[in-house]
Amino acid sequence: KQEVTQIPAALSVPEGENLVLNCSFTDSAIYNLQWFRQDPGKGLTSLLLIQSSQREQTSGRLNASLDKSSGRSTLYIAASQPGDSATYLCAVKGNEKLTFGTGTRLTIIP
Amino acid sequence: DAGVIQSPRHEVTEMGQEVTLRCKPISGHDYLFWYRQTMMRGLELLIYFNNNVPIDDSGMPEDRFSAKMPNASFSTLKIQPSEPRDSAVYFCAFGGNTIYFGEGSWLTVV
């Protein structure tokens, strides 16, 4: 059974800093990995999707990497802003299902 | 979000009452998923459909939960009878490679 872990559960950093969020998974037989953002009281918004054959994806200040063999992914956020404060979840897609991590709650301090 | 309408957005009901949650994905899709989110357990997949057919309902907690997808544009998740431990946010999501979430139905059973 796939297990997805995100550490730390919460992170606070000053505005302007670069930061890295971590995601690890136990079963490397995945189709893709997706990073989501969730704001309080809202649904999940897809940020980046990395196919299993890819090593990284970039969108603006966000860069996600994938090392399938070691079961790890990172989400790099450059020049953090207060608007980046949210919970970030990673999810791995197996046969047809997505398995989610429990998320990292990120707070950017102005 | 990419056009998933969920209703009701918020519901407070008494224990023992029937609860019906609704989902309307606006655009075409391959898969439709129902997730439940709680602080304790994070995001849990309850059931998913492919082309309106239920594929895996192993995440449905017990027989009190049922889900239907009578057509490509509509799905329901029903809880009968409801219990306080069912209090959670219920998300509908759809997609193929990338998954798009609705904003959730916030259920409180008292």
Side-chain angles (χ1 to χ4, degrees), chain A residues 32 34 38 51 93 96-97, chain B residues 31 37 48 56 96-97:
Chain A
N32 63 45
Q34 200 164 346
Q38 185 175 27
Q51 301 292 354
K93 185 174 182 183
E96 289 177 317
K97 301 190 286 191
Chain B
Y31 293 88
Q37 187 177 38
Y48 72 96
D56 185 346
N97 217 12

Side-chain angles (χ1 to χ4, degrees), chain A residues 86-100:
Chain A
T87 297
Y88 291 80
L89 298 102
C90 69
V92 296
K93 185 174 182 183
N95 202 8
E96 289 177 317
K97 301 190 286 191
L98 277 182
T99 303
F100 281 85

Side-chain angles (χ1 to χ4, degrees), chain A residues 31-32 34 36 38 40-46 49 51 89 93 95-102 105, chain B residues 1 9 31 33 35 37 41-43 45 48 50 55-56 58 91 96-99 101-104 106:
Chain A
Y31 285 87
N32 63 45
Q34 200 164 346
F36 292 86
Q38 185 175 27
K42 299 288 188 180
L44 280 70
T45 301
S46 179
L49 171 72
Q51 301 292 354
L89 298 102
K93 185 174 182 183
N95 202 8
E96 289 177 317
K97 301 190 286 191
L98 277 182
T99 303
F100 281 85
T102 51
R105 190 172 68 252
Chain B
D1 68 7
R9 288 296 317 280
Y31 293 88
F33 305 85
Y35 284 89
Q37 187 177 38
R41 300 172 69 94
L43 266 166
L45 177 64
Y48 72 96
N50 184 14
I55 303 300
D56 185 346
S58 60
F91 287 105
N97 217 12
T98 303
I99 305 299
F101 278 73
E103 298 220 319
W106 298 69

Side-chain angles (χ1 to χ4, degrees), chain B residues 42-98:
Chain B
L43 266 166
E44 301 173 281
L45 177 64
L46 300 177
I47 184 172
Y48 72 96
F49 297 82
N50 184 14
N51 293 321
N52 312 340
V53 176
I55 303 300
D56 185 346
D57 65 355
S58 60
M60 297 285 256
E62 44 197 278
D63 291 345
R64 297 184 296 106
F65 285 68
S66 62
K68 293 182 180 179
M69 191 164 185
N71 59 62
S73 301
F74 186 66
S75 178
T76 60
L77 178 68
K78 187 173 292 187
I79 309 172
Q80 168 61 21
S82 58
E83 296 182 3
R85 60 191 167 129
D86 302 331
S87 298
V89 186
Y90 291 82
F91 287 105
C92 171
F94 76 98
N97 217 12
T98 303

Side-chain angles (χ1 to χ4, degrees), chain A residues 1-10 20-27 30 33-35 65-66 70-75 88-92 99-105, chain B residues 41 43:
Chain A
K1 180 187 173 187
Q2 179 73 271
E3 293 183 6
V4 183
T5 304
Q6 292 184 249
I7 295 173
V20 175
L21 306 179
N22 297 296
C23 172
S24 60
F25 47 95
T26 54
D27 185 352
I30 66 171
L33 184 145
Q34 200 164 346
W35 281 93
S65 69
L66 173 63
S70 67
R72 294 180 190 276
S73 175
T74 61
L75 179 66
Y88 291 80
L89 298 102
C90 69
V92 296
T99 303
F100 281 85
T102 51
T104 295
R105 190 172 68 252
Chain B
R41 300 172 69 94
L43 266 166

